[in-house]
Every structure is written in structure tokens, then in C-alpha cells.
Amino acid sequence: MGITKLEKGQFLHKAGQGKVESVEVVIKGSIQISNAYSSINCNVGGFIGIVENPGDPYAYNYEALEETSVYSYPFNSPDDLPKIIKSNPKIAPILAAQSSEIAAKTCAVYEKQYDDALQEYEQIMADYADYPSLCIKVGEIAKSFPELDELIPPEKSEKIPNWVIDFSNSLKENEAVLKKTFYGLNIEFATGMIMTTYTIYKTISDQVLLLNEYRKVLKKKTSSFTSTIKAIKLKLADMERSENEGTEGSVTIVNALNTILVYSGVSGEIATKFEEQISAFKSNNNRYDSSDEARALRRNISTSFYEVFIPAFLRSLTDENIPIEVKMFFMFGFVDEELAGAKNTSILHNMAKAYVPDENGNVLTVYEWLKKIFMLEVEPSKNEFDQDWPSYLREQRSTGAISQDQLEAMQNNPQKRLDFEIHNLFALGNRMTFGRISSFVPVFDEQNVLRPLDMAYQTAAKVNGYYDMIRSIDYGVFCRQALYSNTEIGIPQVYYDDDITPYMILMPNVGSRASLWQEIEGKNRRTKARMLVSIFNTENTEETMIKLFGEFRWEMCKTEQGVHWNDVTDPSLTSMYCDYLQFYKKNSALSTENKEKLRTDLKKFSNNYKNVFIADYLSYIKFESAGSPRLNKVTREILFTFCPFAKAVREKNADNPQYKELFNHYSVRINNAAKPILNIIAKLNKDGIDVPEELTNQIEHLKK
């Protein structure tokens, strides 16, 4: 032990090398203390190695920043530190001042280390959230990175409260005064200050090492994703550069219409007709005007489109290598690169190339939906006269259009089912979701792109996100009441709520509307609803979806109530709402302003009660749930009674006086509903009988 002299750049100790047996005091020059992520400088009077653990390898690097001298002392435990200080009474104030400075520097390092670690985590999660949409832009199929779902953000240690950091910073700010008037008064003051600050930066040093370890693990776990996202971003940058420089880039589609027509195998007459129609359409700058010629051309294109679509679809069922132009035709109605525009063609190409089906099977392109119809996986949808497939066949039989033998042959004939679906849900739904019915044309046209395609594009992830959003507010929106019975274990009958996620069918157009095609399949109330939305939605999609779910609420209630849907003696969402709107003028609970607003709303929606409800439902979900009142007292009570908020929303609005009484009544109602089920579960547990899943699910549902 004694004096050690160091040249500039020379290491006193290196991380991971040598055992900690001494602690040094800088008596000349300065030393940089560093690890992989941070560093601080220690000047004359500073302790070196004080945060290390005696007997362990060094955790930090100690490098001379200039010609430096240090004095070494044996270091077996922190108890050695007071002895070292008291053996140097003359320089004790300098040691104390430097110790308080190091404490402040260590606090700053900890704050920066935490901020950097949090920023790294947030950047990775932001990239992870953007990854699917970036893959779509560059035309790559998104890979799965389940390890990223397990990541958690760094946490600030409870061992370092804010007062510690404030105290250390205050010592640094008042260093000159303390050094002159306090540290020199008594050796015990200096010793106490050094040991206090030692405890602070020893604790912080340990937490910094934990943050370092967190960052190392984070880097290791995300290395595969980081490499992937970096490559995706480079590819996207190259594409944008090519676009800005006016070069073609990597996507080249030429004469797409010919490829589609050849693939479909339609007759030369149909092919020539469709080519001429598309040529005339794209050469007309006023192709959406209301002239007879323009309207006739749009109608003819619609007819020819489906004549080409059907044979192309049938061929694709046995083709594992469908041309990308044909995929774009099926997904987006794309037929011509000039009509779509070069930029849009490139985007559509990449979207089709990157498309991945919904793993839950709830969100489907129209191509995937028609495939399910053809494969007899689902029944064809209702037609414009509200007839399902069996009803339509029976009606055809009763009018003599087909015989009984033909009816039986057609019932499960894939081709007949496909034709029915294409001429009803596809053709009519495509027109409805487009929004401007009189201007509808089923082919992709650049003139209809009113919003960036990547923003308008509805993916399975986006739609499932809207399902999650509505459930987080109106948790019972997709629930149907079902009956469970098992007399063998003593359960005669128990009603429970069955949550059934609807189908969302993505129509191949750039449109502004969504539509509820049917709320159930046939007569079975426990089947999925069928909803339609444009694959490129040009409106506020969140509001569009909320309105769609509101429409489902209304129609599902009508279906469940049957002929009593507007009978106020059988209380339901529709009956109570109809009664409220029909007799609002006599309702004493409504103010004059409320009544005037209702009169205006009814006039605005042409006395259509459903549309008034949908507008109120939008306000209820979007504003009332956030604590911003938009509805009158009567509307609020009806909506909350039949569309109650989820638990998290109720808790957030617990102090809202407009809802407090409603929440209290609801809690009583839920407890009363849960009590008999809990009694059954308790009895089954007592008898050692497995509790049916329906009962446990219902209790979990009621907890929401």
C-alpha cells in the first residue's frame, strides 16, 4: 500500500479483472470511472473503488485522464473507511466535499441510465407496434416475435427515493459553503458526511449495475427483431428514395388486366368487352359524373367485373401460385395499373404480398369469405329481401321456378351457393360500403383515394383492436343469453352470457361506410353476425365501427325480442328507446332544451328511431365513457341499463354524480345475478364435482 503513479490513459483497475483489496484516494490528477453505458470523473480528494465489493472482481474501469497519483489503503469492508478518513484529518474536508460531489454525479448517472433504458424499451415497443404496417408497406410477411410480448419496462428502484437525489444535488450546489464552514469543524462531521454519501452512491451504484444488466438482457432478447426492423426500415427508405427520384423501384406490374383475364379463362368476347370498358373508363376524366353515358358505363363495368371474378375465383381454389395481380384483383378490385396509379399499384402490390389471414378467423377478405361459402363451412348470407339460402330455395320452389329435386340438388351445391353469395352480399355489400351508391364502380380507381392507403387499410389487427376497444367500454356488446342445464350434477337450468365475436368481411373497395349485413345466421341466435367494411375506409374508422356496433346492438335486440321489440310492457333496449322517442313531449324528466334537441334529431334522422339511437350510442361510447356528458338523463339511463359500462370505466367515473346512482343500482343487480351461480359453484366444490366452464365464465363475465 502507498502511492501509485499513473500516466494518461493508464488503467488503475479494469472491470472483471483482479480482486478488490484496496481503496484509493486521488492526490493528483483525475480518474474516469466507467462501465459499458456511463462514466464519471473523480478528482483530487475522491475515493476510488469505494463502491466495489471487497474480495470480488472489479465492476468498473478506472482510467487516468491525465498524469495522476493515488494513495492506496487496505479495504476489507466498509468499516475500514472511517479509519482512513480519521487518519487524514487535514484533508478530511476535501474528502467530504469530493464525496458529496461524487454522490451528485452518481445520481445524475442513475437518472440518465434509467431514462436511456426506458427510451430503449419504448423505442423497441414502438417499432414492434409499427412492424406489421411497415411489413405491409414493403411487401413482406410479418414474422412472429413472441419474446417481445414478455418484455417489461425498467422500474425505478424504491431504494432511491426522490429526497436522496434532491439531498445529493443540494450538497453539490452548496459545496463551497459546506467545505468552508461545516466539514472542517470536526473530523466526525466530515466522517459522517462521507459515510452518508457513501451509502447513497453505493446503493445507486448497485442499481446502476442492475439497469446495465437489464439493458444487456433487453438487447439480447430483441436482437433478432432489431435486425429485422432495421432491414425493413432500410428497404422502406430505398423505396421512398426511388419514388422521390422518379425511378420505378422494385415493383413492376405491366398489363395487369390482361394477366387477370387470361387467368380467369373467360371467353374472348367477355375479355374484349371488359378491356374496352376499362379503357373507356380510365380515358374519361369525368367518369363519375351523372350523365347517362357515364352511369351506363359504370353499370356495365360492374356486370363484367363479376363475370370475370367468378371464373378467376374458381380457378384459384386449386392453384397454389396465384399471380400477384390476381391477388390484388381479389383483395382490392385492382384491374389496371394506370387506373390505380403507379404509386398506388406499388402499395397494393406490397399489401397483397404481405397479407396474412386473421388467426382467429373473424376478419376475412371477401375472397376468404367466398371460399368458406364454397367449401360449405358457412351458410350463404341473406339476400336483399331478407331471405337466407334455405328460405330463398323454398320460395323458388313455391313459385314453380324450381322443382323439389332441383331444390335438393341446389341445397349443398357449392357453385349455386357461391353465385347466390356473389350476387347478394358481395355485389350489394360492395356497393353499400362504397358509400356513394350512384357512383359505385367495383374496380380500384386512383380518383377514389381520399386518404393515404396505409392509414385507410383495414387489417385483421386493426379490426380486432376495434373489437377490444368496444368490449373495454360496452363489455356485453356481443353477448347472447344462453341456457346451461345438467341435471346429473343438480343444475336444472342456468342462464349465462355467451360472447360471440362477429365476422368482419373486408369489401374490395375504397369506401366510407360499414354495414351490418345480418346479426345471426338463419334462426340460430348463437351464431356470428356478419359485418361489412371497405378494406380501405376513408372516414374516421373508429366512429364508423362504433356506429356499426351500435346498429348491431339494436338489431340483435329486435331479433331476440321478436314481435315484442317495441312493446314497452316487455322492457328491452328497443322498446324503451321507442317509447322514449315516441312520447318525449310528455316526459317531465326532460327539459325544454332536451325536447327541442330531440325534435331536431328526429327531424335530422327522418324519424328513424334506430339512427337516433346509433348517434346517441356513439356519444355514449366516445364521450360519456370518458366522463364528458353529452346525453340527457333519460337517454343515459336507458343506455346504461341495457349497455352497461365495463368495470374499468365504471371505476374511472365512480365520482361522476350523473352516474353514481346508476352504478349503485347496477352493482346490486349484478350481485343478485351472481349469487345463485356462486351458490351452485360452492355446492359443486363441496361435493367434489368439477365446475362447468359455462358457470366459471359467467362469473368472470359478471366481474367485468
Side-chain angles (χ1 to χ4, degrees), residues 2-8 10-12 24 27-28 31 64 66-72:
I3 294 177
T4 302
K5 294 184 178 181
L6 303 168
E7 298 296 325
K8 181 180 179 180
Q10 186 177 348
F11 283 88
L12 177 63
E24 289 83 21
I27 57 177
K28 178 187 174 184
I31 295 280
E66 55 188 305
E67 192 175 298
T68 301
S69 298
V70 298
Y71 196 93
S72 300

Side-chain angles (χ1 to χ4, degrees), residues 162-174:
N162 289 333
W163 71 262
V164 168
I165 294 173
D166 294 339
F167 172 68
S168 300
N169 290 334
S170 295
L171 289 177
K172 176 70 175 67
E173 290 169 8
N174 297 281

Side-chain angles (χ1 to χ4, degrees), residues 304-504:
S304 300
F305 178 88
Y306 298 110
E307 289 176 346
V308 174
F309 189 98
I310 293 173
F313 173 82
L314 292 172
R315 178 179 173 181
S316 72
L317 296 175
T318 55
D319 187 358
E320 294 182 358
N321 298 304
I322 303 172
I324 193 66
E325 294 90 343
V326 178
K327 285 185 179 179
M328 293 160 67
F329 174 60
F330 290 148
M331 285 183 69
F332 313 118
F334 169 85
V335 294
D336 184 88
E337 62 276 8
E338 293 178 3
L339 186 62
K343 181 180 178 181
N344 292 330
T345 299
S346 177
I347 293 171
L348 296 178
H349 171 276
N350 290 336
M351 286 177 172
K353 193 176 173 186
Y355 178 75
V356 177
D358 178 22
E359 60 182 13
N360 299 317
N362 296 322
V363 185
L364 306 158
T365 62
V366 78
Y367 173 81
E368 292 169 329
W369 176 253
L370 293 174
K371 201 170 178 181
K372 288 175 79 72
I373 296 291
F374 190 85
M375 298 298 181
L376 311 185
E377 294 176 18
V378 291
E379 285 296 304
S381 306
K382 292 179 178 179
N383 63 15
E384 58 186 317
F385 303 110
D386 206 33
Q387 294 174 314
D388 58 19
W389 179 234
S391 300
Y392 168 76
L393 291 178
R394 286 195 297 271
E395 191 263 345
Q396 291 289 294
R397 171 71 184 89
S398 65
T399 59
I402 60 173
S403 65
Q404 181 62 33
D405 290 341
Q406 287 175 312
L407 183 150
E408 292 172 2
M410 291 173 66
Q411 186 78 46
N412 291 317
N413 183 300
Q415 180 69 58
K416 296 295 183 183
R417 289 159 56 95
L418 177 67
D419 290 342
F420 185 80
E421 193 73 1
I422 284 179
H423 289 103
N424 290 291
L425 179 137
F426 187 9
L428 298 176
N430 212 12
R431 183 183 294 271
M432 287 170 61
T433 53
F434 181 72
R436 294 167 288 135
I437 293 176
S438 62
S439 302
F440 171 73
V441 66
V443 296
F444 186 95
D445 182 2
E446 186 177 24
Q447 287 192 14
N448 291 322
V449 180
L450 307 176
R451 187 181 177 195
L453 290 181
D454 58 331
M455 293 175 63
Y457 185 41
Q458 299 307 303
T459 62
K462 284 184 182 179
V463 175
N464 284 318
Y466 292 125
Y467 286 154
D468 293 340
M469 175 275 295
I470 196 67
R471 282 190 176 107
S472 71
I473 301 171
D474 179 6
Y475 72 96
V477 61
F478 301 129
C479 290
R480 327 279 173 86
Q481 194 173 71
L483 179 67
Y484 177 78
S485 177
N486 189 340
T487 53
E488 292 181 4
I489 59 174
I491 304 177
Q493 63 176 31
V494 172
Y495 288 100
Y496 68 96
D497 292 285
D498 194 7
D499 196 325
I500 302 171
T501 305
Y503 285 121
M504 187 69 72

